Amino acid sequence: MFSIDSMRLKKVKKILKQVNKWAMPMSNMTDVELKKQTSLLKKRLNDGADLDDILPQAFATIREADKRVLGKFPYDVQVMGGIVLHQGNIAEMKTGEGKTLTATLPIYLNALTGKGIMLITTNSYLAIRDANELGKVYQWLGLTVEVGVSEDVNCKYTVEEKKKMYQADILYTTNDAVGFDYLQENLVDNQEKQFMRPFNFAILDEVDAILLDFAQTPLIISGSPRVQSNLFNIANQFVSTLSENKEYKLDEERKHVWLTSQGIYEAQRFFEKKKLFSSENFLLVRHIELALQANELFKINKDYVIDDGEIKLLDIKNGRIMAGTKLQSGLHQAIEAKEHVVISQQTRSMASITYQNLFRMFKKLAGMTGTGKTNEEEFIETYNMSVVVIPTHKPVIREDLPDKIYVTLPEKLYASLDLVKTCYRKRQPILLATGSVEISEIYSQMLLHEGIPHNVLNARNTAKEATIVAEAGQLGAVTIATAMAGRGTDIKLGHGVAELGGLAVIGTERMTSKRIDLQLRGRSGRQGDPGFSQFFVSLEDDIVMKRGSDRIHRYYERFADQINLTATDLQPRELTQHRFKVVVNKAQFSEESQGRISRLNALEFDESMRIQRTLVYRERNRLLRISNSLDNEIKAATIRAIEHFLKEQEKLTPDLLKRYILDNINYNLKSDDPIFEIKKYGDVKKYLVQMVQKELQNKRKAIGSTTQTLNFQRVCILKAIDFSWIEQVDNLQQLRLVVIDRKFSQRNPLYEYQKEAILSYKNMRNQIDQLILKNLMLSSIKREKNSELTVSFP
């Protein structure tokens, strides 16, 4: 019986044979004839052929072009990978198999449609590198290529430059650049400022990193400053007087912190409040919670650094500074107060989207990675992409040794150091892989003490790190790298290294998923090269401490104190029993499951936001494209606003009515206006609608031009939508943080969030109508000497 994978590969190989039939005819063509293939293939598409019909000829064309321009002719296995990508699936290709070149095949084929294709990678260095290297081939064949990112992090593109990027046949860019561009695209107030076209096809390089590792955190555009709070410093002063387990406690995973009864008493005494948890003290309690989190859950040089007097967040896995990223809901300001730096302005969340929902908007999505099969189920469920394992060009002969497990961290460190010294003595290159920046620095100190020269990579400079990783296979090279450092860069063996056994990959701990372990092992043994991998684990590793069983924790506590390891007594005791290997595997599986739950939660929480975002963006885009009149929309919105006001009043008094008119319709209302004599709600509504229609007529006369009237109306409506939507996005971000705590009162946070989100959306719709009315009625129009109109909004 054939497996699904073998059946898929059988179909792919069938297409490969058709591609290979074109190899000789293409090689016999002159350069002019080969370049002409692009126009011929486009014509076939225009005449009714589909992409699958022209695939063999197109793949053979770009394959021959790769050979002539780059000097590289894609292997059969690379063509197979290209076929899988074109089919909208994930090609799992081992490290060194040439994923970058593989992508040229489906990119060229799909670019022929003229609808655009994006190659999306994890950082700007890789996007620029690949565009510069491979762009020559596409341009040689008559296609346009652009790069959507810059080496300068402060670079700001104009609308025209962005239009040029997104109108190109092929765009090389990064996941966060596409996400932020999409959000910014839907905040503009004029169709001329829009620059994107509908999402067509995207190929994600290192697809597991983008769709799994980055998918737990949504993209957020912040702006629209809040009124700044003055409670951050005083809350921090109070929290600094407290002690753990007395005035506050943390849960076992040290992810949540709260005040004890004693802590609440101390807060009431410090702030001179009789009842801390009362409605008037809401902000104070919130700032105390933020100060507790800042002091206990976030550590300097681990979660953040102070750079030029600013708090900058770190990616804990690789140590990279996350430029332009801030913690939300006042937490960033609480850390600033803790570190006594200038407290930055609190901002609202203006727009937000998760990577899952961003990439599900593409008509077709594909990806490449060295390790994706272990997460295939999630890729299918979330993105409808299967993972197809592509055979290697040459057999893998790397030796993956079983883990070595020890009780304590020092034992593990010394044991792994012995292996490093053994390899170094015979000049075999070593890649020492760590799970965090902190551990990489510990190993660096140990190697310095032993007099072993080495490079340390913790992803602080992607361009520099790629250069160092590329040299990690040279004779005598010792490289310490975090798990994510240098992804996308090939490690080639130097002269004479193969005879020494190839690259040695030494893992200093089991990573948060088996997938990352496999990535690290895959750094060695590329293209049939020799090499080996060896992981060292201790019962003190984070993954075992967090996810290990109670039984293993008791074992650790019983034996850890008995081990006396000194500089003169280096005898680490290895745990060889099978049960310890089972414990480590289960702990890693549990951590992987937790990561998957987190991604699912992010997706489920974003579902309400996704639906609302779709409705709001669709409405904005419709308004931007209307070219005749918005009278019907305005009439409907103003009537809804007036009806909502009247419905909310149990008793409509003259004072309430006067206040409503002055605030929303007419600054010049007179006290003897006939409306104050009207008693029936229906007649009041009719009079108010007439008042609105009369003022709108006056504004039309003042503006004069039909086109300018339309633009005025459009801006009034968009301004109302944008203000309300920004409030809504910020409310939902705040709500996510609040409802999480409801699980402690046995309530489902997701259900609570969705229920509150629906109510919040209804309130937003009412607010939009009210603001449209207010913007239209109370705005003032002034004509300048140059005949331009100036509109001032209330």
Side-chain angles (χ1 to χ4, degrees):
M1 180 180 281
F2 289 106
S3 68
I4 294 174
D5 284 350
S6 62
M7 290 174 66
R8 283 198 193 115
L9 280 177
K10 190 175 180 182
K11 290 178 181 178
V12 168
K13 287 176 180 177
K14 192 174 179 182
I15 300 171
L16 170 65
K17 286 181 181 178
Q18 296 173 9
V19 175
N20 284 335
K21 285 178 183 178
W22 280 92
M24 187 59 71
M26 290 297 171
S27 67
N28 291 332
M29 287 184 184
T30 65
D31 285 357
V32 173
E33 290 172 329
L34 190 62
K35 289 178 181 180
K36 195 177 178 183
Q37 287 297 306
T38 298
S39 56
L40 292 174
L41 290 166
K42 283 184 176 181
K43 186 177 184 304
R44 283 186 63 188
L45 287 174
N46 292 332
D47 290 344
D50 61 27
L51 289 174
D52 290 339
D53 295 331
I54 67 169
L55 185 151
Q57 188 176 345
F59 270 35
T61 300
I62 184 68
R63 201 181 187 189
E64 181 64 25
D66 283 337
K67 177 183 174 183
R68 296 189 190 185
V69 178
L70 303 175
K72 300 175 182 178
F73 188 73
Y75 302 124
D76 282 0
V77 290
Q78 289 173 305
V79 176
M80 290 169 66
I83 294 166
V84 168
L85 293 174
H86 166 67
Q87 292 171 341
N89 290 315
I90 294 171
E92 182 182 292
M93 300 177 70
K94 301 305 178 190
T95 302
E97 290 296 304
K99 293 189 285 291
T100 307
L101 191 64
T102 297
T104 61
L105 304 163
I107 286 175
Y108 174 73
L109 170 64
N110 285 269
L112 294 170
T113 63
K115 295 177 181 177
I117 175 170
M118 298 183 196
L119 190 290
I120 299 172
T121 188
T122 52
N123 64 64
S124 56
Y125 166 76
L126 293 175
I128 295 166
R129 182 198 71 180
D130 293 349
N132 289 339
E133 181 183 348
L134 303 173
K136 301 168 190 172
V137 186
Y138 308 125
Q139 290 164 344
W140 193 79
L141 287 169
L143 298 175
T144 57
V145 184
E146 290 289 336
V147 185
V149 288
S150 170
E151 292 177 352
D152 180 7
V153 293
N154 298 313
C155 178
K156 301 290 183 186
Y157 292 107
T158 64
V159 173
E160 292 306 314
E161 287 172 330
K162 293 243 178 180
K163 281 182 180 176
K164 187 183 176 188
M165 286 175 195
Y166 284 100
Q167 290 300 317
D169 294 318
I170 301 159
L171 176 64
Y172 279 82
T173 187
T174 63
N175 45 290
D176 52 349
V178 174
F180 286 127
D181 281 348
Y182 170 74
L183 295 175
Q184 288 165 354
E185 163 97 347
N186 288 283
L187 289 172
V188 301
D189 59 3
N190 189 313
Q191 190 176 354
E192 295 301 314
K193 295 178 183 176
Q194 292 190 313
F195 47 83
M196 299 185 98
R197 54 176 167 173
F199 288 149
N200 178 44
F201 179 32
I203 296 175
L204 308 184
D205 192 11
E206 306 297 353
V207 63
D208 55 323
I210 296 172
L211 297 186
L212 300 180
D213 297 332
F214 299 161
Q216 296 177 35
T217 307
L219 289 167
I220 298 171
I221 288 181
S222 296
S224 187
R226 299 173 180 276
V227 176
Q228 188 73 333
S229 169
N230 60 358
L231 293 173
F232 288 111
N233 283 321
I234 193 167
N236 184 68
Q237 289 172 19
F238 165 66
V239 165
S240 64
T241 67
L242 308 181
S243 55
E244 187 177 348
N245 294 325
K246 187 178 179 184
E247 285 90 13
Y248 65 87
K249 285 189 175 181
L250 289 97
D251 62 1
E252 287 184 3
E253 294 186 357
R254 300 187 75 81
K255 288 187 176 181
H256 296 91
V257 58
W258 61 91
L259 289 175
T260 62
S261 299
Q262 181 64 27
I264 294 169
Y265 169 75
E266 294 296 338
Q268 290 173 164
R269 203 159 66 93
F270 186 92
F271 293 103
E272 297 181 349
K273 302 288 184 182
K274 290 184 179 179
K275 198 172 182 182
L276 185 64
F277 292 98
S278 59
S279 57
E280 63 266 24
N281 293 330
F282 171 78
L283 279 178
L284 176 60
V285 172
R286 178 69 186 142
H287 280 77
I288 292 172
E289 288 176 349
L290 290 171
L292 276 171
Q293 291 174 32
N295 278 270
E296 294 302 319
L297 307 184
F298 292 86
K299 304 300 179 187
I300 190 169
N301 295 326
K302 181 181 178 186
D303 301 294
Y304 63 89
V305 292
I306 302 174
D307 184 27
D308 290 334
E310 291 182 35
I311 299 295
K312 295 186 178 178
L313 301 179
L314 293 177
D315 185 323
I316 194 168
K317 290 181 182 177
N318 58 34
R320 182 177 285 124
I321 289 178
M322 297 190 286
T325 303
K326 283 191 173 185
L327 295 165
Q328 296 292 304
S329 306
L331 191 49
H332 204 89
Q333 286 72 23
I335 294 174
E336 289 169 335
K338 166 192 170 184
E339 298 296 347
H340 307 292
V341 300
V342 176
I343 295 177
S344 60
Q345 181 72 51
Q346 261 189 287
T347 54
R348 287 181 174 88
S349 299
M350 297 176 65
S352 171
I353 192 170
T354 60
Y355 279 122
Q356 291 102 318
N357 281 326
L358 174 69
F359 288 114
R360 292 201 298 188
M361 287 192 285
F362 282 86
K363 289 179 184 175
K364 184 165 72 171
L365 191 66
M368 306 180 288
T369 181
T371 50
K373 198 65 179 178
T374 54
N375 293 87
E376 182 176 26
E377 187 179 341
E378 186 173 352
F379 282 124
I380 292 173
E381 287 178 3
T382 308
Y383 306 100
N384 196 30
M385 291 191 294
S386 298
V387 179
V388 180
V389 180
I390 306 299
T392 55
H393 179 57
K394 294 180 180 178
V396 176
I397 61 172
R398 180 190 66 246
E399 187 178 5
D400 294 325
L401 301 171
D403 296 348
K404 289 184 174 291
I405 305 172
Y406 301 87
V407 176
T408 64
L409 178 64
E411 285 182 288
K412 178 186 78 171
L413 292 176
Y414 285 123
S416 57
L417 184 62
D418 283 343
L419 180 57
V420 170
K421 289 192 288 187
T422 300
C423 294
Y424 180 70
R425 275 194 291 268
K426 63 177 184 176
R427 303 199 69 202
Q428 183 175 10
I430 302 157
L431 179 66
L432 197 61
T434 69
S436 68
V437 178
E438 188 178 15
I439 295 296
S440 72
E441 289 171 350
I442 290 173
Y443 271 99
S444 179
Q445 291 297 319
M446 292 176 69
L447 292 180
L448 286 173
H449 184 265
E450 295 292 334
I452 299 176
H454 59 280
N455 285 309
V456 182
L457 291 181
N458 42 33
R460 293 181 188 271
N461 183 317
T462 51
K464 181 182 175 184
E465 116 194 353
T467 304
I468 295 174
V469 165
E471 297 298 317
Q474 301 303 307
L475 272 175
V478 179
T479 309
I480 302 174
T482 51
M484 301 295 285
R487 278 193 72 172
T489 304
D490 215 1
I491 301 178
K492 296 178 181 177
L493 299 186
H495 180 70
V497 170
E499 289 76 12
L500 296 175
L503 178 67
V505 172
I506 300 175
T508 62
E509 60 189 280
R510 278 289 196 93
M511 304 303 162
T512 51
S513 74
K514 185 179 179 182
R515 174 174 52 84
I516 299 175
D517 288 353
L518 293 172
Q519 287 165 7
L520 292 171
R521 293 186 193 276
R523 292 297 186 90
S524 175
R526 62 174 290 282
Q527 288 287 329
D529 286 339
F532 77 88
S533 67
Q534 173 76 74
F535 277 74
F536 290 81
V537 184
S538 84
L539 302 187
E540 287 185 315
D541 288 354
D542 285 348
I543 196 170
V544 180
M545 295 299 284
K546 280 171 64 179
R547 306 293 175 191
S549 64
D550 290 340
R551 182 182 176 190
I552 209 69
H553 289 157
R554 287 194 298 269
Y555 178 91
Y556 165 75
E557 289 167 3
R558 193 162 63 248
F559 288 98
D561 292 338
Q562 298 176 14
I563 297 170
N564 180 24
L565 202 63
T566 66
T568 56
D569 180 25
L570 305 182
Q571 298 298 325
R573 186 170 68 92
E574 186 182 350
L575 303 175
T576 56
Q577 298 96 317
H578 180 68
R579 65 188 176 106
F580 292 107
K581 291 180 174 60
V582 171
V583 163
V584 172
N585 289 333
K586 282 186 175 179
Q588 186 180 57
F589 179 78
S590 177
E591 185 71 13
E592 280 185 301
S593 300
Q594 190 58 44
R596 184 172 179 180
I597 290 168
S598 296
R599 290 189 291 273
L600 181 61
N601 281 341
L603 187 59
E604 288 177 335
F605 271 100
D606 195 55
E607 186 61 16
S608 293
M609 174 82 84
R610 183 192 66 81
I611 294 169
Q612 295 182 24
R613 181 175 51 243
T614 301
L615 293 172
V616 171
Y617 286 0
R618 186 185 298 156
E619 178 66 9
R620 285 188 97 264
N621 286 323
R622 187 183 71 82
L623 289 167
L624 289 171
R625 284 158 178 73
I626 287 177
S627 58
N628 44 23
S629 172
L630 287 166
D631 289 348
N632 292 335
E633 284 82 355
I634 286 171
K635 185 177 180 181
T638 55
I639 289 173
R640 286 195 302 267
I642 291 168
E643 287 177 342
H644 181 72
F645 163 71
L646 294 173
K647 193 186 294 183
E648 280 194 323
Q649 311 309 317
E650 292 182 10
K651 185 178 180 182
L652 186 61
T653 65
D655 285 343
L656 282 172
L657 187 57
K658 182 179 181 181
R659 186 74 264 156
Y660 179 74
I661 295 171
L662 288 172
D663 287 345
N664 298 281
I665 299 175
N666 191 348
Y667 286 140
N668 302 313
L669 181 70
K670 296 178 181 178
S671 57
D672 61 348
D673 195 287
I675 194 170
F676 297 120
E677 303 299 323
I678 301 173
K679 303 298 180 185
K680 294 182 180 178
Y681 273 41
D683 292 337
V684 171
K685 171 190 165 184
K686 186 176 179 182
Y687 190 93
L688 290 175
V689 171
Q690 289 174 349
M691 190 182 290
V692 170
Q693 293 301 324
K694 184 178 178 182
E695 179 61 22
L696 283 175
Q697 196 62 37
N698 292 336
K699 282 201 163 59
R700 281 194 190 93
K701 288 179 182 177
I703 295 170
S705 164
T706 304
T707 302
Q708 288 183 325
T709 298
L710 174 63
N711 289 336
F712 164 70
Q713 292 174 338
R714 184 171 13 238
V715 170
C716 286
I717 298 173
L718 288 174
K719 206 170 173 59
I721 291 173
D722 290 346
F723 180 86
S724 303
W725 178 238
I726 287 169
E727 287 285 315
Q728 175 70 349
V729 170
D730 194 54
N731 286 342
L732 294 180
Q733 290 296 332
Q734 304 283 343
L735 183 61
R736 281 187 65 171
L737 298 173
V738 170
V739 298
I740 293 298
D741 292 336
R742 296 188 186 179
K743 66 183 179 182
F744 297 115
S745 57
Q746 305 303 309
R747 287 189 283 178
N748 185 329
L750 180 61
Y751 171 76
E752 295 287 317
Y753 175 81
Q754 291 174 338
K755 181 177 69 174
E756 299 274 3
I758 292 170
L759 293 173
S760 182
Y761 182 75
K762 289 178 180 176
N763 291 335
M764 182 195 75
R765 296 303 314 184
N766 292 330
Q767 185 186 33
I768 289 174
D769 291 336
Q770 204 64 58
L771 285 174
I772 290 173
L773 175 63
K774 187 174 182 177
N775 289 343
L776 287 164
M777 294 296 99
L778 301 184
S779 56
S780 60
I781 299 171
K782 183 180 178 183
R783 189 173 292 280
E784 304 292 342
K785 290 180 181 179
N786 60 2
S787 296
E788 285 190 5
L789 288 179
T790 302
V791 180
S792 300
F793 290 99

